[in-house]
Amino acid sequence: MAKKQKKNKLWKVALFLFTGTLFMIVALISINLYVKTTVRKKIILPEEASGLEADCIVVLGAGVWSDGRPSHMLEDRLLQGIDLYHAGASNRLLMSGDHGRANYDEVNTMKSFAMNRSVPSKHIFMDHAGFSTYESMYRTKEVFQANKIIIITQEYHLYRALYIAEKLGLDAYGVASDPRSYVGQEYRESREFLARIKDFFYTIVKPAPTYLGEAIPVSGNGDITNDK
C-alpha cells in the first residue's frame, strides 16, 4: 500500500510539473504572438513613409567593426534610413545606439556614415545612451521630444521596437531593412523571442532608462549632440 501511495504521489508531482511547463510554454508563445500581431499593421513600405511627415527617423544601433565600419545589419539600417530622409519622410535622423564605453561607439559611426551620404550634420541627432531597444524608445520620447516617428531595423526586431514605442505613447511606424541574409540569424531570432517577453513586462512597469538628462528636442540642431 505504501509503495502504491508513493507511486501515486510521484505521478501527481510529474503531472503538476508537466502541466506547469506546458502552461508556461503556451504563455510565452502567446505573449510573442500578441506583441507581433498588435503592431503588424504599423510596418509599412518605404514608399508609404514619405507622406507621414514624421518628427524623425529613428535608426536603431547594431554592431560596429573594430575598424569603425558599421556591421552589415547596421549598414542596411542606415542606408534605409538615409533613403527615407532623402525621400522626404522626415528632415531629422536620430541615431540611437551604444556609446557607453570610450572604445566602442555606434552613434558617431552612424552619423559619419549619413554625413558621407549628403545628410547635413545639423539634421542628425545622436542618442549616445540607446543601450537597449526599450531605452532607445523611452529616450526618443522623453529626451528628444519626438511624437511621430519612423523606426528602422530588421523585421524580426521591428515588432518589439514598435510595440515598445506604442506602449510608451509614441505614434510609431516601422520600415524593415532586410536586403540580405545575416550570419547567426537563428540565434538572434531565439534571443528576440525572449526579449519580446522581457519588454512586454517592461512596458507595463515602465522603468526609467539608465540615463535621461535634459530635453534635446529633435526639431532643433543635431550638432548639440556632438561629442567630438
Side-chain angles (χ1 to χ4, degrees):
M1 180 66 73
K3 288 184 177 180
K4 187 175 181 180
Q5 288 178 337
K6 185 177 181 181
K7 186 176 181 180
N8 287 339
K9 186 176 181 180
L10 289 173
W11 184 86
K12 288 179 180 179
V13 170
L15 181 61
F16 174 79
L17 291 174
F18 173 78
T19 304
T21 301
L22 183 61
F23 175 81
M24 181 65 69
I25 292 171
V26 170
L28 297 182
I29 292 173
S30 297
I31 289 173
N32 263 268
L33 289 174
Y34 175 73
V35 169
K36 293 181 74 172
T37 56
T38 298
V39 298
R40 194 180 301 277
K41 292 183 179 179
K42 302 305 288 287
I43 298 177
I44 60 176
L45 297 173
E47 51 267 29
E48 297 177 280
S50 58
L52 289 177
E53 298 182 352
D55 296 330
C56 65
I57 298 162
V58 183
V59 182
L60 294 177
V64 171
W65 303 124
S66 58
D67 61 2
R69 292 180 299 114
S71 62
H72 293 153
M73 293 187 78
L74 181 55
E75 180 181 15
D76 292 341
R77 296 178 191 184
L78 288 164
L79 289 171
Q80 183 65 81
I82 292 165
D83 283 349
L84 291 181
Y85 168 87
H86 287 305
S90 176
N91 63 355
R92 295 292 187 276
L93 285 169
L94 173 56
M95 308 302 195
S96 185
D98 185 350
H99 188 193
R101 293 163 284 163
N103 61 347
Y104 184 76
D105 183 355
E106 291 178 0
V107 292
N108 274 290
T109 295
M110 295 164 76
K111 178 161 185 170
S112 295
F113 189 94
M115 287 176 61
N116 289 337
R117 286 156 181 81
S118 303
V119 181
S121 175
K122 64 182 181 180
H123 288 175
I124 308 169
F125 286 75
M126 291 185 288
D127 177 7
H128 299 267
F131 303 133
S132 68
T133 308
Y134 175 83
E135 292 185 279
S136 290
M137 294 298 99
Y138 197 113
R139 287 173 53 81
T140 294
K141 181 174 175 59
E142 299 300 330
V143 174
F144 294 97
Q145 304 285 291
N147 291 303
K148 190 174 187 178
I149 65 172
I150 301 167
I151 304 170
I152 310 297
T153 184
Q154 280 70 33
E155 184 176 347
Y156 83 97
H157 181 212
L158 194 51
Y159 296 102
R160 178 162 59 100
L162 282 167
Y163 183 83
I164 295 168
E166 292 276 307
K167 292 300 178 181
L168 293 178
L170 287 158
D171 183 11
Y173 299 83
V175 174
S177 177
D178 294 281
R180 55 180 143 179
S181 299
Y182 306 100
V183 175
Q185 188 58 28
E186 294 81 5
Y187 168 73
R188 280 188 288 270
E189 293 279 359
S190 60
R191 189 178 66 176
E192 187 67 14
F193 181 89
L194 297 175
R196 290 188 196 113
I197 295 163
K198 171 184 69 71
D199 284 331
F200 171 82
F201 290 105
Y202 259 52
T203 56
I204 295 173
V205 180
K206 293 184 174 65
T210 306
Y211 300 109
L212 268 177
E214 297 180 3
I216 308 171
V218 78
S219 57
N221 189 327
D223 287 338
I224 195 173
T225 63
N226 291 350
D227 65 335
K228 293 183 179 181

